[in-house]
Amino acid sequence: MDSVNHPAATAAGQLETRRVRVTGLVQGVGFRYATLRHARLLEVHGWVRNCADGSVEAMIQGSRQQLDLMQRWMRHGPRTAQVQGLSASTIENRPIFTRFEQHPTA
């Protein structure tokens, strides 16, 4: 099994979780849907949602390699987005996510 695969990361105890916030023109441009598709492509689990302040927030979970790739993609997002900033923090004592989904605006 590939070491990038999420279940392998879980079994090996290498599972990481990060909260990511993306700012700029990231709402109304398909950012959440594109994030959902890219996360599923990378086999990253968690969720993504719009925030009332105009940013997009995501909780991403997987191996360090998966999360680094996901964050790299989120720094640019889909072609229609204009990302101005990205902040990320590691989350301890996190739940284990079993898929990636889109949540309602918070």
Side-chain angles (χ1 to χ4, degrees):
M1 185 176 284
D2 189 338
S3 63
V4 174
N5 185 278
H6 184 266
T10 303
Q14 299 172 351
L15 188 64
E16 293 187 18
T17 305
R18 297 179 194 165
R19 180 184 309 273
V20 180
R21 184 171 300 264
V22 184
T23 58
L25 180 58
V26 292
Q27 290 190 16
V29 295
F31 198 97
R32 286 180 303 162
Y33 181 69
T35 300
L36 176 77
R37 288 184 53 201
H38 201 75
R40 288 181 176 169
L41 177 71
L42 293 175
E43 297 183 9
V44 168
H45 296 177
W47 51 261
V48 62
R49 66 182 175 193
N50 283 341
C51 296
D53 66 1
S55 66
V56 168
E57 179 183 35
M59 188 76 68
I60 58 176
Q61 187 173 76
S63 70
R64 176 173 289 158
Q65 182 181 5
Q66 285 172 299
L67 300 191
D68 288 347
L69 290 170
M70 189 69 194
Q71 269 187 241
R72 188 175 308 139
W73 179 86
M74 291 177 80
R75 287 189 188 284
H76 304 285
R79 288 181 292 161
T80 51
Q82 296 175 18
V83 175
Q84 292 179 348
L86 181 144
S87 62
S89 58
T90 300
I91 303 298
E92 303 295 332
N93 302 320
R94 75 276 179 193
I96 302 297
F97 299 106
T98 58
R99 64 181 178 262
F100 199 90
E101 51 193 23
Q102 186 172 309
H103 284 189
T105 300

